[in-house]
Amino acid sequence: MSLFHTAMHTEHIDYWHHPGLAGIALSQADLRQFSFDKHVHLDYHLGVVTRGGQRFIHRGSSYRLGQQGISTLNPDETHDGQSLGEEGYHVKVMSLPYSMMQALSGELGLGLVHFQAPMVEDPQLYQYFIRLHWLLTQGHCSNLAAQTHLLNFVQLTLQRHLGGPLRQASRASGLSESQLALCKQQFHDEPWQNYQLETLAAEVGLSKFQFLRQFKHSTGITPHAYLKRLRLEYAKKSLMRGDRVGQVAQQVGFFDQSHFNKAFKQAFLVSPRQFQQRML
């Protein structure tokens, strides 16, 4: 499998998709000055750093991801990311669909998949992840082997590090669970809509200023930033299915393809077309 990368000064990021693993995205990056803004994902994101270190904020707490650690990020959890030092860092990431994780956990009798911590220290699992990532990205294994190795890795991860019941974050100054769920569901159901802050606020019985403040307190980002990221996450899935770039931009609610290209590259360091070429 050939390697494709886009450079930004000394920074670059690569994306892959193994044909035997539907819906799973793999990436690796060498980053120095580039910082990921606060954002969320639709899927579970597991990752390791093989050189340098990464610092990230998750639910208001700061974490440092270095060698021997694995990031275990649940869907819809706000976080950011930047280099721990001036020398930069190398990171490998695997994006695992929500439905696949829940199905496997159910078969194992483990219940809802929710990692209680955004990273764990596990040297054995760390090495397993690196070997698996290499196999899947270099195309050195068949579909059956890829599926087998992945399921073994995920099963081991869940059995070792899956937390208990989902803990509800304190929202004394934020939206209630039902208010937040209502708003998020609208965004997921119709990400292309041109939402108005005043309308969203009225639906949960708040002024627009109250809503803006409480949404940010609950999620860590503004409604606009949350929706923009959702649009980009859904766009990635459409691109992986082979939809045309211009069509995808319209589907997820960007003003035009130019705005879509700019936002996508700002978030992922590659253009939508470059991402699609790698995934297909």
Side-chain angles (χ1 to χ4, degrees), residues 89-236:
Y89 66 104
H90 181 87
V91 61
K92 300 177 183 290
V93 178
M94 188 181 302
S95 172
L96 302 170
Y98 179 88
S99 57
M100 185 206 83
M101 293 288 278
Q102 300 305 332
L104 180 58
S105 180
E107 292 178 10
L108 296 172
L110 298 175
L112 177 69
V113 178
H114 181 78
F115 295 109
Q116 294 291 64
M119 61 171 288
V120 296
E121 294 289 334
D122 191 324
Q124 182 183 16
L125 205 60
Y126 173 88
Q127 294 296 334
Y128 195 166
F129 183 100
I130 292 174
R131 292 195 302 272
L132 175 61
H133 197 279
W134 184 84
L135 284 171
L136 298 180
T137 56
Q138 300 308 309
H140 291 169
C141 61
S142 65
N143 289 353
L144 180 59
Q147 294 162 5
T148 302
H149 286 306
L150 177 71
L151 289 178
N152 284 340
F153 170 78
V154 173
Q155 178 177 337
L156 182 61
T157 301
L158 294 180
Q159 289 175 333
R160 286 190 178 191
H161 301 293
L162 187 61
L166 175 63
R167 293 179 298 181
Q168 302 297 343
S170 172
R171 296 200 174 96
S173 300
L175 298 174
S176 69
E177 292 294 330
S178 60
Q179 287 174 324
L180 187 59
L182 175 64
C183 183
K184 285 183 175 181
Q185 193 61 54
Q186 289 185 78
F187 289 164
H188 281 275
D189 290 344
E190 298 179 319
W192 60 86
Q193 288 284 9
N194 182 22
Y195 292 97
Q196 300 297 319
L197 186 61
E198 192 170 4
T199 303
L200 292 169
E203 289 176 347
V204 293
L206 298 172
S207 73
K208 59 183 179 182
F209 301 107
Q210 290 173 324
F211 175 76
L212 181 61
R213 184 177 65 252
Q214 293 184 29
F215 186 98
K216 187 174 182 179
H217 180 88
S218 298
T219 65
I221 51 180
T222 65
H224 170 73
Y226 184 91
L227 176 60
K228 182 179 180 180
R229 183 65 187 208
L230 279 191
R231 287 172 170 169
L232 293 172
E233 291 286 317
Y234 280 118
K236 286 170 69 178

Side-chain angles (χ1 to χ4, degrees), residues 10-148:
T10 59
E11 334 249 339
H12 75 264
I13 188 167
D14 308 305
Y15 292 94
W16 294 267
H17 167 65
H18 192 286
L21 302 174
I24 294 175
L26 300 142
S27 63
Q28 69 178 19
D30 282 300
L31 303 172
R32 186 176 179 183
Q33 297 179 342
F34 179 81
S35 295
F36 293 98
D37 293 331
K38 289 182 179 180
H39 63 279
V40 296
H41 298 293
L42 295 177
D43 304 318
Y44 294 88
H45 274 229
L46 304 183
V48 303
V49 167
T50 59
R51 176 179 56 79
Q54 184 194 55
R55 179 177 64 250
F56 64 96
I57 302 294
H58 176 272
R59 290 189 171 181
S61 298
S62 180
Y63 295 86
R64 296 186 174 194
L65 182 65
Q67 281 114 51
Q68 310 307 320
I70 300 180
S71 64
T72 48
L73 295 169
N74 299 304
D76 200 34
E77 288 187 345
T78 305
H79 59 283
D80 61 7
Q82 51 271 316
S83 177
L84 192 57
E86 294 183 358
E87 73 279 5
Y89 66 104
H90 181 87
V91 61
K92 300 177 183 290
V93 178
M94 188 181 302
S95 172
L96 302 170
Y98 179 88
S99 57
M100 185 206 83
M101 293 288 278
Q102 300 305 332
L104 180 58
S105 180
E107 292 178 10
L108 296 172
L110 298 175
L112 177 69
V113 178
H114 181 78
F115 295 109
Q116 294 291 64
M119 61 171 288
V120 296
E121 294 289 334
D122 191 324
Q124 182 183 16
L125 205 60
Y126 173 88
Q127 294 296 334
Y128 195 166
F129 183 100
I130 292 174
R131 292 195 302 272
L132 175 61
H133 197 279
W134 184 84
L135 284 171
L136 298 180
T137 56
Q138 300 308 309
H140 291 169
C141 61
S142 65
N143 289 353
L144 180 59
Q147 294 162 5
T148 302

